[in-house]
Amino acid sequence: MGGHKFDTYETAWCPGCGNFSILNSLQKTLGELKKDPHDVLIVGGIGQAAKTPQYISANSFCGLHGRAVPPAVAAKIVNPNLTVIINSGDGDSYGEGGNHFIHNIRRNVDIAHFIHDNQVYGLTKGQASPTADEGAVNDVQVDGNNNIPFNPVLMAIASGAGFVARSFSGKPQHLEEMMKRAILFKGYAMVDILQPCVSFNKVNTFAWYNKRVYELDDTHDAGNRLAAMERAMEFGDRIPIGILYEKEQPTYHEKHPSLKDGQVLVAERNNPALIDKYMQEMV
Amino acid sequence: MYNLLIGGAAGQGVDTTAAILEHWIKQSGCEVFTVRDLMSRIRGGHNFSCIRFGAQVPCCHSEKLDGIIALNAETVSIHRDHLRDGGFILCDSAVETDDDFVIKLDMAAIAKKLGNARVASSVAIGAALKLFGVPMSTEQADSVFRKSVKAEYVDINVQAVQAGYHAVPQKFEHAGGNASDHMLISGNQALALGALTAGVKFYSAYPMSPSTSIMEYLSLKSAETGIVVEQAEDEIGAINMAVGASFAGARAMTGTSGGGFSLKVEALGLAGMAEIPLVVVDVQRPGPVTGFPTRTEQSDLKFVISASQGEFPRMVIALRNHEDAFYQTIRAFNMAEKYQIPVILLSDQYLADSTAAIPMLDSRKIALYEPEEGPAGEDYARYRFTESGISPRKFPGTRDGFVAADTDEHDEYGHIVEDSETRIRMMKKRMGKLALLEQEILEPELLGEQSPDVLLLGWGSLYGPLEEAVELLNQKGEKRYSALVFGDVWPLPQKLLKQLASSAKYIIHVEQNYTGQLASLIAEVTGIKTDAGILKYDGRQLSGEEIADRIVKEGF
């Protein structure tokens, strides 16, 4: 097991998978932020991306498909000293876990959520994910995907998220900057990471993304929600990457009367004198 | 012992009236047991509460009434047949009835004269107290209402009680008793208080009757105790949050009813596979699906014992009464932590919503499990193979190594594996906990005769009704009856059962379900077959009297 640096282990991903680059960027970012791996908890659901916690030397939680967010926020709630990061796929985060995605934006616990978004279900061999293009053909959607693609960044901004960014696994420097900003952001921060699937997505390839993505510059006002929504709707010939929206707002801990002073609930008990008082109240 | 029913439409204050009355009656010394029969609606319909009280402990409700407070005419027509000869029906003069036992009182007019029509129910409270010979003083009235209404409404309610008290003659002698210093507690409150005593630090749930009052009570105490009570976005989120909190090192619980439990089952397996302590409460109500949202049933037993795919160890404890709810909840946390398993507490609406006067609970009676400190050094393995099969826990943030949780089959470090050898060792490590649990399980409680001719089998909240049933049956003196009431239901304790079953002439299961789930489980585990079943599945709890009547009627 690793010491004080973020090692990686042999993975089960396909050669050329975008996950390698994302894992590498995560490892580099955490190192640059000088995080002690012992204080870092990486959480995943189930899927190819959700195996990320397996491949990095830090605390890890590999839970259920679609359910990465609830245990992640709860771990952070009871131990605010942890740096909690979710690495999970688009199926996990937006499909099976859609309800947790929406409502944990509202809860605003200080975690970073990195969604490896390749528009397909990789582990089950290529079915359409919520972000799949209309018309995308695979073994299940044999006549092409009929559903309107889910727009995660627009949804996040609309739901009240304080930090919404998009990046591309093919631009590691950009990705590392986005990861860094998301981890440092106080509150729920999501980065939708565009990522090719070499095995099952023959349309949205590295070259396809690489041709389309462009970095947001100073002309974009990330503090303007409407402007952010407008950029969030841009997905086609040109896809903006960068911080679409950023605005600090009170976090779950800051608003919670029992947690606002940094309380840690790990291995704590309740005061027996209080219990006795509660019993007296019932006499 | 007396039995008083308060009935009316939802929104008429039946529950508040009953709460004030039961408290007052208990203060006067009587033992109290109150059941609530509520409809799943906010206004209208018919709701009632029954307060049974006396010098002896009423261990369950009774169908026979000594008094009825009818807040509307419907209450009279529905419950009149259960009134004993010599009982009374107290109602407003406006209620159209010419029943011989009716005591009409101008409650509305008195209330109006006092200046607020809404205190009519306090007029009824005063009259009921007098009829049952319960003493009433202005100071006492003042202290009761100070607890239950806003300050500006205290005086008018006190006046209303006094007016009611003086408007009727005393009808019964005071029932007596020494319970004035007892606690008056509901089943859900007892469970919540047990959780607080056990050190719960994180409770996440989605509102669902009849479990919601657990969350309400914990919320009420969250600021002072510093615990987190989180209303999750759904039941799945609720249990996954509790698992995450527990993984990170906080004692955690989630609660729901059967429908919510159905949604939670995959994460129950997560706690089993990832060896994360968790307490899950299922306050049962009649199913399937929505069923009767506010009524009672015991039909989730076989479901929770086998819920979730695959095989993993778990413990299931059925709560039998208010004291049991408190102590077994503490024990559930200890067992969950000691064996790193999910422990399921099975309650039901009857126990959850009923209140009982009980002697003060002892918050120090059950020592809280103190886990051994995990090993030092970087080479920490969360799923280390040990002699006992239990791997020492550490929490994320420890300086010694990393803490992992994994739902895939995994090696000692929590890394995914697919080899046969590790799979077999890990299965044996997890499933081996069942044998350890079998050393810990508590035998069922035997009520009545030590060597019975007729052995009744029950579980959970039928404890009280079975206690009364056995007492009634044994009074007949023809046969020896006893009841064996299970609290721990999984793993199933077998010793006492096998011992009694070998000598009893008849074994009869008594359950609040259609199929006799305990009987079926017993047959599966022990081969012991029952001779008959007394079953009820209409959402209303069997009373002791009803059980005794049906046993006799069936020729046992």
Side-chain angles (χ1 to χ4, degrees), chain B residues 299-333:
Chain B
S299 51
D300 295 349
L301 174 63
K302 292 194 84 178
F303 167 51
V304 303
I305 281 173
S306 56
S308 207
Q309 76 273 26
E311 296 163 306
F312 58 91
R314 76 189 81 191
M315 183 172 188
V316 183
I317 306 172
L319 305 177
R320 290 175 286 198
N321 58 32
H322 299 73
E323 279 174 318
D324 203 45
F326 176 77
Y327 292 115
Q328 290 306 322
T329 301
I330 303 172
R331 180 167 164 257
F333 275 91

Side-chain angles (χ1 to χ4, degrees), chain A residues 43-242:
Chain A
V43 181
I46 292 296
Q48 292 290 24
K51 287 177 183 166
T52 305
Q54 292 273 326
Y55 304 143
I56 184 164
S57 59
N59 300 291
S60 62
F61 186 100
C62 291
L64 301 174
H65 184 60
R67 320 298 171 200
V69 186
V73 298
K76 178 72 181 182
I77 287 171
V78 302
N79 188 354
N81 300 326
L82 297 175
T83 297
V84 179
I85 298 166
I86 300 169
N87 281 79
S88 229
D90 44 335
D92 195 287
S93 299
Y94 306 144
E96 190 93 31
N99 206 31
H100 311 306
F101 172 56
I102 295 170
H103 295 286
N104 280 291
I105 288 172
R106 296 176 47 233
R107 206 168 261 128
N108 199 30
V109 177
D110 184 13
I111 63 162
H113 188 178
F114 300 148
I115 301 102
H116 306 206
D117 183 357
N118 58 9
Q119 308 188 28
V120 296
Y121 284 81
L123 193 56
T124 51
K125 301 196 172 176
Q127 302 80 10
S129 92
T131 52
D133 287 339
E134 235 171 316
V137 177
N138 63 68
D139 287 352
V140 173
Q141 288 80 25
V142 287
D143 297 322
N145 172 36
N146 280 332
N147 294 347
I148 300 159
F150 179 74
N151 185 331
V153 283
L154 183 62
M155 167 70 92
I157 298 167
S159 303
F163 185 101
V164 181
R166 182 165 250 164
S167 191
F168 170 43
S169 65
K171 293 205 179 289
Q173 272 183 329
H174 183 269
L175 177 58
E176 283 148 33
E177 177 63 16
M178 291 303 107
M179 284 182 162
K180 200 164 156 185
R181 296 280 293 271
I183 292 168
L184 290 174
F185 181 79
K186 198 162 58 72
Y188 173 84
M190 69 90 84
V191 184
D192 182 68
I193 305 167
L194 304 172
Q195 168 211 22
C197 174
V198 290
S199 297
F200 300 112
N201 191 337
K202 305 296 185 193
V203 176
N204 313 99
T205 59
F206 178 89
W208 188 93
Y209 283 117
N210 206 36
K211 205 170 81 188
R212 286 167 172 78
V213 297
Y214 73 95
E215 290 185 32
L216 287 167
D217 59 22
D218 292 348
T219 59
H220 173 61
D221 177 6
N224 182 332
R225 205 166 170 203
L226 281 175
M229 289 173 109
E230 207 170 317
R231 292 289 185 162
M233 285 189 276
E234 204 179 328
F235 195 98
D237 290 341
R238 278 168 62 78
I239 305 169
I241 56 171

Side-chain angles (χ1 to χ4, degrees), chain B residues 2-58:
Chain B
Y2 299 124
N3 196 17
L4 169 65
L5 182 143
I6 303 108
Q12 276 196 309
V14 169
D15 202 31
T16 315
T17 305
I20 291 170
L21 266 170
E22 64 174 351
H23 184 68
W24 211 312
I25 290 167
K26 192 222 64 157
Q27 298 283 48
S28 79
C30 300
E31 303 282 354
V32 170
F33 185 92
T34 307
V35 283
R36 291 174 170 78
D37 190 297
L38 308 168
M39 291 182 76
S40 182
R41 54 194 289 176
I42 307 301
R43 287 282 182 274
H46 177 67
N47 287 352
F48 65 91
S49 290
C50 272
I51 307 173
R52 200 174 179 203
F53 57 100
Q56 253 79 54
V57 178

Side-chain angles (χ1 to χ4, degrees), chain B residues 175-353:
Chain B
N178 294 307
S180 58
D181 61 351
H182 282 14
M183 310 165 61
L184 201 54
I185 192 168
S186 76
N188 272 356
Q189 283 173 340
L191 191 158
L193 203 57
L196 285 174
T197 308
V200 70
K201 281 290 171 189
F202 190 93
Y203 182 77
S204 45
Y206 188 84
M208 184 170 189
S209 299
S211 70
T212 315
S213 55
I214 297 169
M215 179 156 59
E216 286 170 348
Y217 187 78
L218 291 173
S219 292
L220 194 67
K221 303 305 181 194
S222 63
E224 203 169 28
T225 53
I227 70 166
V228 170
V229 179
E230 190 62 24
Q231 183 179 316
E233 56 274 15
D234 53 38
E235 317 280 6
I236 301 172
I239 187 168
N240 278 280
M241 287 186 93
V243 169
S246 179
F247 166 75
R251 277 196 158 187
M253 179 167 89
T254 182
T256 183
S257 189
F261 198 97
S262 297
L263 292 170
K264 289 179 195 290
V265 297
E266 190 187 17
L268 191 73
L270 157 62
M273 179 65 153
E275 305 193 45
I276 296 169
L278 182 69
V279 178
V280 185
V281 183
D282 176 6
V283 185
Q284 300 163 97
R285 69 191 215 191
V289 284
T290 314
F292 273 155
T294 58
R295 302 193 180 278
T296 202
E297 197 161 275
Q298 300 182 302
S299 51
D300 295 349
L301 174 63
K302 292 194 84 178
F303 167 51
V304 303
I305 281 173
S306 56
S308 207
Q309 76 273 26
E311 296 163 306
F312 58 91
R314 76 189 81 191
M315 183 172 188
V316 183
I317 306 172
L319 305 177
R320 290 175 286 198
N321 58 32
H322 299 73
E323 279 174 318
D324 203 45
F326 176 77
Y327 292 115
Q328 290 306 322
T329 301
I330 303 172
R331 180 167 164 257
F333 275 91
N334 280 347
M335 298 300 280
E337 194 162 316
K338 188 171 177 186
Y339 296 105
Q340 304 172 17
I341 51 164
V343 177
I344 297 156
L345 290 172
L346 268 182
S347 181
D348 57 36
Q349 183 272 334
Y350 180 76
L351 173 59
D353 290 341

